[in-house]
């Protein structure tokens, strides 16, 4: 069961993600439209994209509270994901024993940041107005994933040894089944299923901002229209 | 009637308003008519199967414009843009929040182009392109001045200008055009400029201005028309020939050319820098309009092309000309093609060819309004941000008193005048007034705090818009003027001639 689920989920994700990237790459950029002031060299553009992705530069200009919440969520998500490597790695390098505390604190902060992001959607009239059911549900899904994770860390521990064994077996193809012996195991199954849903909808939802930002012409174009002629591929002459 | 409009009261600072849903839903522009649509190659009336055609056109645009495809997908609705649009700040209508304006198109995109929208339209807010949606499109995509302020703050650079341009192109394709912009584009094709000025009228005006300058300065300053073999082709917005205060800048350009001893000419065939093809989003129209300039540059055998004070024109010239009608390899490679009049004058100052009596502008305390298309869609000089420093350098070179407005309202964060993007039309006056409120608020602060009495800028549309707005907001109409109006006042004529 678990094996089929895992491979289907990852398969859909990779195919969907690549399909979207293909669509973005295939579409044309008829004119140069960087939001200026913009870098005048390719290196400058790479630096601009790096600042956007690493520091959320534009968002910082826009709204400090949102920047704090959004940045905290994304940064702690990365820290939490790094902690999850321990469930796929055997024998575990010493690093992960020391890292444990970082990962756990990051998990707490991540759920806090998600709470803040959801509070914005509920409390600020403008943000409430622009939110669809899907926007709320996505935050709830992330909160569910983070919350169930913390629950397992602090209260209802599942059978980690069995889980790790099952995860290790995923690299091969045998049918792996998880035991459901304790409440912690049930929480784990829920955690896993929610992650599966998140990964499946990724390429078909706004989560594609991960790939899309690199294709945003206002951010990825060099400001050099006078120096170098840009050709419109569908109207070259 | 000016007093028929409700003018917002100016507060100490720009405040984000509470939501007033639907408050601007009534204000759509006049629809285009057959005689304006036809010359542009658009259907002259709404086509019978417009829903189907509209969706097809959207599909086509998604392939032609990466901006549109990516921006339809990746908005996370974070809300960073919600308090950035001047039209939202002035009206409180949620459909004037950039994300919500774009949402009008995203709903249709999701319905026809995404699995989620096909399967769960209610969950993800997907809608058919129906009568009601088209009405919203026509209304709210004509309440966007394409100023790109939202794109500065968006974490993914989502540019609502790209979306509103695409929406207008889709509407044109199904025969639902906007009267003001299509009428003007039709006029350019017919007469060479937006105002519809025929050659005899243009040459008469230029002659009159030459006589006027001779009288006031004692110098024979020329405004040559269609002069083959001149060094420079000057392409100004046609408002510079007939409107106040635009005409003051035109005389400023003429004095700079005169004093530098550089020959130049205006063209009657390409007597328009503006390019409303951009406002309607049409690549073909943009290209066709701009082609007049490229053709004249060849025909008149000039070596350089200089563009006058006009915001969106500078975007088209700087960012698009090379793509539209390039390469311009027949021009002198030592100069950028095209060159902005501010770059031109700035360069001459650097080379010591011009000098100024700053005292001539001592009556003024000057502030600078950055026009959106110059600020966020172009550059001047070799370095990013030259579009901010070069005009300010010119002001400082010609005036003793200069002060900037609040930093959140200038340079890349500048606020639109409220009349850009093809909205400078009387039926949208209510929107223009409310959209001007944020800029007027920032201006009022320096008027009160620093005794500012001159609003300098480099855009024909901003000049015309502020002319109307300033008196409504209790400030004098004549406090708006071009940067080259200040140059014109202060330039020393005859003292030293020519480039060394």
């Amino acid at each position: 069961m678990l094996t089929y689920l895992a491979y289907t989920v990852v398969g859909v994700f990779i195919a969907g993600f690549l399909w979207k990237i293909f669509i973005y790459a295939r579409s044309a950029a008829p004119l140069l439209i960087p939001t200026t002031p913009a870098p005048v060299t390719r290196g400058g553009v790479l630096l601009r994209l790096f600042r956007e992705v690493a520091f959320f530069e534009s968002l910082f200009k826009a709204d400090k509270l949102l920047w704090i919440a959004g940045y905290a969520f994304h940064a702690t998500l990365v820290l939490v994901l790094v902690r999850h490597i321990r469930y796929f790695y055997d024998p575990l390098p010493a690093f992960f024993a020391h890292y444990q505390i970082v990962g756990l604190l990051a998990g707490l902060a991540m759920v806090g940041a998600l709470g803040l992001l959801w509070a914005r959607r509920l409390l600020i009239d403008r943000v409430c107005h622009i939110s669809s059911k899907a926007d709320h549900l996505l935050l709830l899904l992330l909160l569910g994933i983070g919350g169930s994770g913390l629950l397992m860390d602090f209260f209802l521990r599942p059978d980690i040894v069995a889980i790790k064994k099952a995860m290790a077996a995923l690299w091969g193809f045998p049918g792996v089944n998880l035991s459901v012996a304790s409440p912690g195991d049930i929480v784990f199954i829920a955690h896993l299923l929610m992650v599966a849903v998140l990964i499946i909808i990724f390429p078909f939802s706004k989560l594609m901002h991960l790939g899309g930002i690199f294709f945003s012409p206002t951010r990825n174009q060099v400001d050099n229209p006078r120096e170098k002629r840009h050709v419109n591929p569908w109207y070259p002459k | 009637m000016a007093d028929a409009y409700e003018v917002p009261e100016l507060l100490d600072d720009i405040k984000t308003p509470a939501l007033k849903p639907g408050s601007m839903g009534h204000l759509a522009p006049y629809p285009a008519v057959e005689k304006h649509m036809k010359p542009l190659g658009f259907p002259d009336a709404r086509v019978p199967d417009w829903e189907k055609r509209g969706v097809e056109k959207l599909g086509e645009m998604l392939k032609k414009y990466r901006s549109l495809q990516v921006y339809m997908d990746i908005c996370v609705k974070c809300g960073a843009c919600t308090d950035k649009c001047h039209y939202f700040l002035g009206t409180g209508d949620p459909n004037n929040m950039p994300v919500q304006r774009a949402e009008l198109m995203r709903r249709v995109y999701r319905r026809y182009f995404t699995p989620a929208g096909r399967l769960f339209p209610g969950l993800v807010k997907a809608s058919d392109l129906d009568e009601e949606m088209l009405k919203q499109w026509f209304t709210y995509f004509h309440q966007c001045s394409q100023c790109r302020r939202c794109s500065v703050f968006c974490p993914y650079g989502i540019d609502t200008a790209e979306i509103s341009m695409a929406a207008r192109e889709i509407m044109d394709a199904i025969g639902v055009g906007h009267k003001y912009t299509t009428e003007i584009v039709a006029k350019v094709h017919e007469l060479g400029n937006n105002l519809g000025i025929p050659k005899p009228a243009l040459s008469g005006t230029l002659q009159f201005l030459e006589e006027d300058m001779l009288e006031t300065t004692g110098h024979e300053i020329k405004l040559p028309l269609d002069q083959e073999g001149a060094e420079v082709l000057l392409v100004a917005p046609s408002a510079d020939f007939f409107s106040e205060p635009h005409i003051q800048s035109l005389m400023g350009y003429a004095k700079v050319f005169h004093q530098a001893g550089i020959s130049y000419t205006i063209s009657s065939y390409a007597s328009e820098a503006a390019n409303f093809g951009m406002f309607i989003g049409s690549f073909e129209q943009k290209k066709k309009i701009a082609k007049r300039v490229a053709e004249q540059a060849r025909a008149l055998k000039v070596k350089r092309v200089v563009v006058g004070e006009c915001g969106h024109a500078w975007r088209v010239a700087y960012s698009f000309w090379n793509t539209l009608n390039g390469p311009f390899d027949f021009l002198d490679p030592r100069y950028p093609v095209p060159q902005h009049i501010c770059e031109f004058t700035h360069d001459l100052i650097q080379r010591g060819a011009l000098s100024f009596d700053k005292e001539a502008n001592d009556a003024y305390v000057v502030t600078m309004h950055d026009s959106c298309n110059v600020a966020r869609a172009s550059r001047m000089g070799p370095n990013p941000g030259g579009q901010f420093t070069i005009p300010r350098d010119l002001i400082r070179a010609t005036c003793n008193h200069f002060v900037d407005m609040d930093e959140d309202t200038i340079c890349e964060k500048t606020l639109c005048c409220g009349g850009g993007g093809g909205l400078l039309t009387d039926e949208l006056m209510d929107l223009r007034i409310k959209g001007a409120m944020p800029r007027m608020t920032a201006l009022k602060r320096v008027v009160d705090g620093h005794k500012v009495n001159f609003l300098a800028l480099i855009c024909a549309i901003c000049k015309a818009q502020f002319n109307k707005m300033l008196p409504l907001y209790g400030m004098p109409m004549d406090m708006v003027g071009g940067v080259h109006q200040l140059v014109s006042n202060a330039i020393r004529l005859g003292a030293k001639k020519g480039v060394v």
Side-chain angles (χ1 to χ4, degrees):
Chain A
M1 238 342 248
L2 179 69
T3 318
Y4 294 120
L5 178 74
Y7 278 87
T8 310
V9 166
V10 173
V12 169
F13 171 77
I14 291 175
F17 196 91
L18 290 178
W19 173 245
K20 273 291 177 188
I21 295 296
F22 170 72
I23 298 263
Y24 298 156
R26 183 189 61 178
S27 59
L31 292 163
L32 290 183
I33 59 164
T35 308
T36 60
V40 294
T41 61
R42 182 68 13 219
V45 163
L46 290 176
L47 203 63
R48 181 186 204 177
L49 281 170
F50 174 77
R51 289 197 310 267
E52 285 294 1
V53 175
F55 307 117
F56 302 3
E57 183 180 42
S58 296
L59 188 62
F60 186 77
K61 287 181 204 167
D63 184 335
K64 299 292 183 281
L65 179 71
L66 174 57
W67 182 85
I68 289 171
Y71 198 82
F73 164 64
H74 285 84
T76 53
L77 176 64
V78 171
L79 296 176
V80 167
L81 286 177
V82 169
R83 193 182 85 91
H84 277 69
I85 295 172
R86 62 170 24 241
Y87 301 122
F88 298 88
Y89 217 110
D90 200 46
L92 202 60
F95 165 77
F96 287 97
H98 305 303
Y99 187 76
Q100 189 69 348
I101 181 71
V102 178
L104 289 176
L105 288 174
L108 286 167
M110 186 181 90
V111 171
L114 284 167
L116 206 56
L117 288 170
W118 198 31
R120 282 181 74 252
R121 285 211 188 277
L122 296 172
L123 299 176
I124 300 176
D125 62 347
R126 302 189 311 281
V127 189
C128 187
H129 185 90
I130 63 174
S131 302
S132 67
K133 291 188 193 94
D135 298 315
H136 288 287
L137 285 175
L138 194 56
L139 273 174
L140 280 176
L141 182 64
L142 288 165
L143 273 168
I145 292 169
S148 56
L150 290 178
L151 200 60
M152 286 185 282
D153 281 323
F154 293 106
F155 300 107
L156 300 169
R157 305 201 68 88
D159 186 345
I160 299 282
V161 178
I163 289 170
K164 202 162 167 181
K165 213 178 266 170
M167 291 302 151
L170 278 181
W171 302 115
F173 269 95
V176 181
N177 281 304
L178 284 166
S179 64
V180 185
S182 70
D185 290 339
I186 295 170
V187 177
F188 174 72
I189 301 281
H191 185 75
L192 201 65
L193 287 176
M194 285 188 284
V195 172
V197 171
L198 184 76
I199 295 175
I200 287 262
I201 63 171
F202 197 107
F204 312 102
S205 69
K206 64 180 188 177
L207 297 172
M208 269 312 287
H209 66 275
L210 171 70
I213 180 163
F214 298 100
F215 291 87
S216 172
T218 60
R219 293 291 181 271
N220 76 4
Q221 289 182 337
V222 184
D223 179 26
N224 63 354
R226 293 193 289 195
E227 292 80 1
K228 188 167 178 288
R229 182 166 186 245
H230 174 82
V231 177
N232 176 359
W234 47 265
Y235 208 133
K237 253 306 182 190
Chain B
M1 280 297 289
D3 51 4
Y5 298 105
E6 187 198 328
V7 181
E9 195 192 336
L10 295 184
L11 306 173
D12 304 341
D13 207 348
I14 302 162
K15 300 265 186 329
T16 306
L19 297 184
K20 299 185 206 59
S23 57
M24 295 303 282
H26 62 286
L27 196 67
Y30 294 148
V33 294
E34 187 186 337
K35 69 171 176 183
H36 304 135
M37 292 289 273
K38 239 187 179 147
L40 278 61
F42 300 140
D44 45 30
R46 201 196 295 191
V47 296
D49 55 344
W50 60 271
E51 298 98 330
K52 188 167 156 282
R53 269 297 299 138
V55 172
E56 277 169 15
K57 182 75 184 174
L58 173 56
E60 201 183 293
M61 304 279 292
L62 289 167
K63 291 200 182 77
K64 281 179 154 182
Y65 290 89
R66 181 175 299 147
S67 53
L68 190 66
Q69 172 64 61
V70 173
Y71 298 158
M72 284 295 103
D73 269 352
I74 66 172
C75 174
V76 299
K77 302 210 229 134
C78 70
C81 63
T82 55
D83 56 354
K84 303 299 187 285
C85 174
H86 53 290
Y87 290 125
F88 173 72
L89 293 171
T91 67
D93 188 323
N95 282 342
N96 280 327
M97 298 189 288
V99 49
Q100 209 57 12
R101 194 187 310 284
E103 178 72 7
L104 295 174
M105 187 181 280
R106 284 200 189 101
R107 277 185 197 166
V108 176
Y109 167 74
R110 284 190 211 111
R111 185 76 185 100
Y112 298 95
F113 298 96
T114 71
R118 285 196 198 101
L119 299 171
F120 319 107
L123 181 72
V124 295
K125 280 192 188 166
S127 317
D128 291 336
L129 180 59
D130 55 14
E131 191 68 46
E132 174 57 25
M133 186 53 84
L134 182 63
K135 182 175 167 269
Q136 300 246 337
W137 277 32
F138 194 67
T139 304
Y140 289 107
F141 287 122
H142 289 109
Q143 294 191 16
C144 167
S145 61
Q146 306 174 340
C147 82
R148 313 182 94 208
R149 190 165 193 259
C150 46
S151 87
V152 170
F153 297 101
C154 173
Y156 318 115
I158 296 175
D159 180 5
T160 313
E162 288 293 301
I163 297 169
S164 84
M165 285 171 193
R168 292 180 192 183
E169 186 166 6
I170 293 167
M171 289 190 281
D172 282 333
I174 58 172
V176 181
H178 170 204
K179 178 170 180 285
Y180 173 70
T181 42
T182 50
E183 185 176 8
I184 280 180
V185 173
K187 234 184 271 177
V188 179
H189 293 324
E190 199 188 334
L191 288 158
N193 54 63
N194 287 5
L195 294 184
I197 309 164
K199 182 172 178 179
L202 181 58
S203 96
T205 303
L206 297 180
Q207 231 166 35
F208 170 81
L209 289 174
E210 285 177 350
E211 285 159 21
D212 187 55
M213 285 190 285
L214 179 61
E215 213 168 282
T216 50
T217 67
H219 291 270
E220 277 190 36
I221 299 157
K222 294 291 174 202
L223 282 159
L225 188 64
D226 295 333
Q227 210 163 82
E228 204 183 298
E231 167 89 8
V232 172
L233 170 63
L234 172 69
V235 188
S238 59
D240 283 7
F241 304 122
F242 276 90
S243 308
E244 276 291 344
H246 309 63
I247 215 160
Q248 304 294 332
S249 281
L250 179 68
M251 293 195 275
Y253 319 151
K255 288 178 188 175
V256 170
F257 282 109
H258 172 85
Q259 188 58 20
I262 297 174
S263 68
Y264 78 109
T265 184
I266 294 161
S267 154
S268 61
Y269 178 77
S271 50
E272 181 60 80
N275 191 326
F276 277 32
M278 187 174 96
F279 297 154
I280 59 174
S282 161
F283 186 90
E284 284 80 5
Q285 288 301 326
K286 259 188 292 234
K287 184 178 169 78
K288 212 172 149 194
I289 294 167
K291 194 157 176 260
R292 304 176 78 93
V293 177
E295 281 174 7
Q296 280 297 285
R298 269 182 208 275
L300 294 169
K301 301 190 175 67
V302 297
K303 297 194 182 71
R304 306 159 69 176
V305 180
V306 170
V307 178
E309 295 180 352
C310 183
H312 84 281
W314 179 238
R315 178 181 193 188
V316 175
Y318 168 86
S319 292
F320 303 158
W321 272 6
N322 205 359
T323 299
L324 296 170
N325 298 302
F328 289 91
D329 45 12
F330 57 94
L331 297 171
D332 188 339
R334 289 175 302 166
Y335 300 97
V337 184
Q339 199 173 19
H340 194 281
I341 186 71
C342 285
E343 289 179 305
F344 180 78
T345 303
H346 192 258
D347 180 48
L348 289 169
I349 295 174
Q350 305 279 300
R351 288 153 66 183
L354 306 175
S355 59
F356 300 96
D357 279 320
K358 288 181 165 195
E359 292 68 30
N361 284 319
D362 266 356
Y364 298 131
V365 181
V366 181
T367 195
M368 167 98 191
H369 163 80
D370 294 284
S371 297
C372 35
N373 276 300
V374 177
R376 291 184 281 258
S378 80
R379 172 164 56 98
M380 288 182 203
N383 303 314
Q387 67 268 40
F388 311 131
T389 55
I390 286 176
R392 282 174 175 75
D393 283 352
L394 294 186
I395 296 173
R396 289 204 180 88
T398 55
C399 304
N400 281 315
H401 313 293
F402 174 76
V403 54
D404 257 321
M405 286 180 276
D406 188 281
E407 62 171 349
D408 284 336
T409 72
I410 57 166
C411 297
E412 68 168 352
K413 297 179 184 170
T414 190
L415 288 155
C416 171
C417 64
L423 309 184
L424 193 76
T425 170
D426 282 353
E427 78 266 24
L428 297 177
M429 191 59 80
D430 185 34
L431 178 79
R432 287 167 52 189
I433 293 171
K434 288 170 176 160
M437 183 277 283
R439 170 46 81 219
M440 290 293 115
T441 304
L443 176 64
K444 190 76 176 25
R445 281 181 70 156
V446 288
V447 166
D448 291 345
H450 298 273
K451 299 190 168 61
V452 163
N453 60 3
F454 195 95
L455 179 62
L457 46 87
I458 45 173
C459 172
I461 287 176
C462 295
K463 287 172 192 168
Q465 160 78 349
F466 286 140
N467 242 341
K468 281 243 163 70
M469 295 302 123
L470 286 164
L472 292 172
Y473 282 97
M475 289 179 267
M477 178 198 270
D478 61 3
M479 76 180 283
V480 58
V483 167
H484 276 79
Q485 180 172 337
L486 298 169
V487 170
S488 175
N489 293 342
I491 192 166
R492 275 198 195 114
L493 295 167
K496 184 173 163 208
K497 200 156 169 72
V499 182
V500 194

